[in-house]
Amino acid sequence: MISGLDPSGGAGIQADIQAVTALGCHPMPVLSCLTVQDTRNVYNATATDPEIIRQQLECLAADSPIHAIKTGALGNAAVVDVLVEFLAAHPDIPLIADPVIKAAGGGDLADEALIARMKERLFRHAEIITPNGIELTLLGGDEDETRAAHNLLEAGCQSVLATGGHGEGEEIINTLYSHDQEPLYFYIERIGGEYHGTGCTLAASIAAGRASGLSARASIAQAQNYVLRAIRHALKVGNGQPVPDRGIPWET
Ligand code: PLP
């Protein structure tokens, strides 16, 4: 997994590590950026030296099998370039890319250059990208979910899981758009409220499913159930959004 450090422990690499561990996999965390952040918002961020990330990825791949990759906040466009080079050399590793752009509090986690580089270079390597409603509108250039998702497919994405957590209604509907089939709808109970780090947790859980050998569809279903349970036990960490409790062991 490649994502940023959120020192509140709600989102980013900590969310990834906890979710992947709870789902029975071993996470190998590569840190893309450091943020100044609490449960309310992001106030500052700085990217890791891309050369260190390159060395970390090469070092890990030379030593261990990597069964899936999950990306979150990436810091800057140069980090995307390093990542794309690595993915091109390892085309068989499924990539689940969470296209993180903004924190829930509105703070920026990606500048224009990073957003453009993800669209132009990264997404085509991803088996699934997992935008929330705001990210989908921004990336797909359309307020309509279906049109925005198709714009991304046309731009080279293999599949787009449009997450519905920010919407309304009794159930959350996450929709998987792909090239060769009709959209697949995944329904899950809506608890209500907003939780810090939900998107990270969902994408990391999908990657854990893929790393365990589940299909993309089964990985999404398992991830949704895991996130629902973590939200049910959410922790009041600070004055902002509660944090999903990812520490509860997952029994399959
Ligand atoms: N990655 C980092 C480092 C973050 O700080 C955040 C949000 O604050 C995210 C990812 C995205 O969080 P969420 O899972 O709430 O979309």
Side-chain angles (χ1 to χ4, degrees), residues 17 40 44 58 64 72 87 102 116 122 133 138 145 156-157 163 190 221-222 237:
I17 292 171
R40 294 169 298 188
N44 200 358
E58 284 171 4
S64 328
L87 293 165
K102 272 186 192 300
L122 181 65
L138 256 163
E145 178 184 298
C157 289
T163 64
R190 184 187 296 281
Q222 173 177 260
V237 171

Side-chain angles (χ1 to χ4, degrees), residues 77 110 137:
T137 303

Side-chain angles (χ1 to χ4, degrees), residues 6 32 35 42 48 50 52 64 74 82-83 88 110 113 115-116 171 226 240 248:
D6 163 11
S32 57
T35 70
V42 172
T48 307
I52 289 289
S64 328
L74 289 174
V82 165
L83 193 54
I115 295 170
E171 281 177 318
Y226 173 71
I248 317 162

